[in-house]
């Protein structure tokens, strides 16, 4: 039976996991081990064969695969131990992991464990899209793996569903592979990404349909057409040979769901405090496992910060928790990270509350106690956009049990709903 004993085990070898591991080694933590189920490190960027990656981390612009290779070297240069093709099967108390690799099942034990398992895209089945089950239906990750890793084209004239930033990444992948998308479909009245970015599909001659809901996919052996319904009830068909579902990310939190750690119903990732610490203080979490989805650079910086928090914990620098303040979401707030603030607090933890809203609104985003407002700012809020509330500006009182984050005076014509 394989057995791994370490000071810290990092589960996941993407940008946040590698950054956390290196930060720990830089702080003098003796044995830090990354467990990665894929054959190589790098995470999602391995599949993104276009720039820009790595400017803030390494001082140069790279493609995703080059960035992934640089991340792997970065870990090795700092003495991080790496075990690839190694899957963590389950989490237990006291930092005990059940693992599996080519040698069979085994056990891992560590004083602290950092979970950095990232995100995955929502598949067709979870989107409840009806119709036939022909070849040619993929998500962005599969497309990039086909094109960049296997040199294959899963289709030639697909329909792209979604307008998140990753959809534009998919457009660049299609362009590189000689694939010509016939249309982009977006359920909302505006793009999820920033409007100026939608110049890319126009430049590529790809029509964009807003307020378009995919009704059905048609085809016998391969995709032949897609039916979509517009807001006025009109149903249209588009001839195509594939469907590319993009975005709608969800944290890869299977390990958390099947463990003793508490899951947050907003993020669908683990509950954490401002140090990235889960409800079992042996476990920490970082990167896109905490919320879907941030850039590789953001995940790297967050992983580095949380790695230093783990080092503080192991070296006895982190103050002992004396009080916990829970952070609650109110109407219109989809998620908040972290979900708990531990007092006393230090500057080493996460610097902001990260907030997302359920839908477009204009109003006062606020943090209050029920008795008083501790922070507020008037904002135009859009779904899937990062909103940051500086934690040092929130005057926390020692007797607080809970805070709530909410929106006041939202646009009357835009109803809000709990995420």
């Amino acid at each position: 039976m394989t057995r791994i004993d370490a000071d810290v085990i990092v589960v996941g070898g993407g940008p946040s996991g590698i950054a956390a591991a290196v930060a720990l080694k830089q702080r003098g933590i003796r044995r830090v081990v990354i467990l990665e189920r894929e054959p190589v490190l790098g995470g999602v960027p391995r599949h993104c064969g276009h720039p820009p990656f790595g400017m803030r981390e390494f001082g140069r612009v790279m493609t995703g695969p080059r960035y992934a290779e640089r991340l792997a070297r970065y870990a090795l240069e700092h003495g991080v131990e790496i075990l690839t093709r190694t899957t963590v099967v389950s989490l237990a108390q006291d930092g005990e992991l059940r693992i599996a690799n080519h040698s069979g099942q085994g056990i891992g034990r560590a004083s602290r464990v950092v979970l950095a398992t990232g995100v995955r895209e929502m598949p067709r089945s979870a989107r409840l899209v009806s119709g036939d089950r022909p070849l040619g239906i993929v998500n962005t990750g599969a497309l990039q793996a086909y094109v960049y890793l296997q040199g294959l084209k899963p289709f030639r004239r697909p329909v792209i569903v979604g307008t998140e930033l990753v959809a534009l990444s998919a457009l660049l992948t299609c362009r590189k592979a000689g694939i010509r998308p016939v249309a982009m479909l977006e359920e909302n009245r505006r793009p999820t990404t920033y409007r100026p970015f939608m110049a890319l599909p126009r430049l590529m001659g790809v029509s964009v349909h807003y307020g378009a809901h995919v009704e059905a996919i048609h085809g016998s052996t391969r995709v032949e057409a897609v039916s979509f319904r517009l807001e006025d009830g009109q149903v249209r068909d588009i001839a195509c040979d594939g469907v590319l579902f993009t975005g709608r990310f969800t944290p890869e939190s299977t390990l958390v769901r099947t463990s003793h750690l508490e899951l947050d119903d907003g993020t669908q990732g683990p509950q954490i405090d401002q140090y990235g610490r889960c409800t079992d203080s042996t476990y920490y979490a970082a990167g896109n496992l905490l919320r879907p989805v941030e850039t590789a650079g953001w995940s790297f910086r967050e992983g580095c910060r949380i790695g230093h928090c783990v080092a503080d914990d192991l070296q006895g620098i982190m103050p002992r928790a004396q009080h916990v303040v829970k952070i609650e979401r109110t109407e219109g707030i989809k998620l908040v990270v972290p979900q708990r603030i531990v007092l006393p607090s230090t500057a080493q933890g996460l610097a902001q509350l990260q907030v997302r809203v359920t839908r477009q609104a204009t109003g006062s985003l606020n943090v209050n106690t029920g008795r008083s407002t501790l922070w507020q700012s008037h904002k135009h809020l859009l779904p899937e956009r990062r909103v940051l509330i500086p934690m040092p500006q929130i005057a926390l009182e020692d007797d607080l049990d809970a805070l709530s984050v909410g929106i006041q005076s939202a646009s009357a014509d835009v109803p809000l709903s709990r995420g």
Side-chain angles (χ1 to χ4, degrees), residues 90-107:
S90 64
L91 313 176
Q93 294 182 344
D94 300 322
E96 181 177 302
L97 314 177
R98 185 166 295 278
I99 62 176
N101 58 23
H102 65 281
S103 300
Q105 294 192 354
I107 296 292

Side-chain angles (χ1 to χ4, degrees), residues 156-178:
R156 295 183 180 277
R157 300 178 66 253
V159 166
I160 297 177
V161 181
T163 57
E164 294 184 38
L165 188 61
V166 70
L168 303 184
S169 174
L171 272 177
L172 294 174
T173 299
C174 288
R175 182 174 182 269
K176 183 177 182 66

Side-chain angles (χ1 to χ4, degrees), residues 54-186:
M55 185 61 194
R56 293 183 65 175
E57 299 91 303
F58 302 116
R60 56 181 297 184
V61 176
M62 310 176 190
T63 64
R66 292 290 186 189
Y67 176 68
E69 291 171 4
R70 184 66 187 91
L71 285 174
R73 292 200 306 275
Y74 184 62
L76 290 171
E77 288 164 1
H78 286 83
V80 177
E81 296 179 50
I82 299 167
L83 294 177
T84 57
R85 301 182 190 270
T86 301
T87 299
V88 176
V89 178
S90 64
L91 313 176
Q93 294 182 344
D94 300 322
E96 181 177 302
L97 314 177
R98 185 166 295 278
I99 62 176
N101 58 23
H102 65 281
S103 300
Q105 294 192 354
I107 296 292
R109 291 184 186 274
S111 298
R112 297 293 182 271
V113 177
V114 179
L115 303 175
T117 49
V119 294
R120 54 184 171 82
E121 287 179 287
M122 185 180 291
R124 172 190 178 172
S125 57
R127 298 172 188 244
L128 304 179
V129 175
S130 64
D132 301 319
R133 295 290 186 270
L135 295 174
I137 303 172
V138 301
N139 61 21
T140 315
L143 169 69
Q144 292 171 332
Y146 279 130
V147 171
Y148 295 122
L149 301 183
Q150 302 175 39
L152 302 175
K153 294 183 184 181
F155 36 53
R156 295 183 180 277
R157 300 178 66 253
V159 166
I160 297 177
V161 181
T163 57
E164 294 184 38
L165 188 61
V166 70
L168 303 184
S169 174
L171 272 177
L172 294 174
T173 299
C174 288
R175 182 174 182 269
K176 183 177 182 66
I179 297 168
R180 296 181 175 274
V182 296
M184 295 183 75
L185 305 180
E186 170 57 55

Side-chain angles (χ1 to χ4, degrees), residues 129-358:
V129 175
S130 64
D132 301 319
R133 295 290 186 270
L135 295 174
I137 303 172
V138 301
N139 61 21
T140 315
L143 169 69
Q144 292 171 332
Y146 279 130
V147 171
Y148 295 122
L149 301 183
Q150 302 175 39
L152 302 175
K153 294 183 184 181
F155 36 53
R156 295 183 180 277
R157 300 178 66 253
V159 166
I160 297 177
V161 181
T163 57
E164 294 184 38
L165 188 61
V166 70
L168 303 184
S169 174
L171 272 177
L172 294 174
T173 299
C174 288
R175 182 174 182 269
K176 183 177 182 66
I179 297 168
R180 296 181 175 274
V182 296
M184 295 183 75
L185 305 180
E186 170 57 55
E187 287 188 349
N188 298 309
R189 298 177 182 178
R190 57 162 295 141
T192 303
T193 188
Y194 296 99
R195 287 189 189 276
F197 292 177
M198 294 306 291
L200 179 62
R202 289 198 300 272
L203 291 172
M204 292 178 61
V206 179
S207 62
V208 181
H209 303 269
Y210 295 105
H213 175 75
V214 178
E215 291 280 296
I217 298 172
H218 309 289
S220 52
T221 58
R222 169 165 284 281
V223 174
E224 297 172 5
V226 169
S227 296
F228 64 95
R229 183 182 298 275
L230 297 173
E231 286 187 326
D232 61 5
Q234 182 182 1
V235 177
R236 295 184 183 177
D237 292 338
I238 297 181
C240 59
D241 68 347
V243 180
L244 176 61
F245 287 106
T246 69
R248 293 201 185 180
F249 290 95
T250 185
E252 184 51 84
S253 56
T254 304
L255 285 172
V256 176
R257 290 176 182 274
T258 57
S259 77
H260 61 294
L261 303 178
E262 291 188 30
L263 195 77
D264 180 62
D265 62 355
T267 63
Q268 298 302 306
Q271 291 187 19
I272 62 164
D273 62 18
Q274 74 269 33
Y275 304 113
R277 189 166 43 192
C278 300
T279 48
D280 175 346
S281 59
T282 304
Y283 289 86
Y284 286 72
N288 282 325
L289 175 63
L290 297 180
R291 101 266 72 204
V293 60
E294 291 290 354
T295 63
W298 174 282
S299 298
F300 181 95
R301 293 187 292 277
E302 186 173 72
C304 181
R305 183 178 286 268
I306 289 175
H308 282 290
C309 291
V310 178
D312 283 351
D313 189 5
L314 290 172
Q315 295 172 351
I317 298 172
M318 187 178 294
R320 185 179 297 275
Q322 298 177 7
H323 189 66
V324 177
V325 180
K326 294 183 178 180
I327 302 173
E328 301 171 346
R329 296 175 294 124
T330 59
E331 189 176 31
I333 303 299
K334 178 180 179 181
L335 62 85
V336 179
V337 178
Q339 297 83 23
R340 296 174 288 118
I341 297 177
V342 175
L343 300 178
S345 184
T346 68
Q348 187 61 60
L350 299 176
Q352 305 103 357
L353 291 181
Q354 305 163 30
V355 178
R356 305 267 181 98
V357 298
T358 56

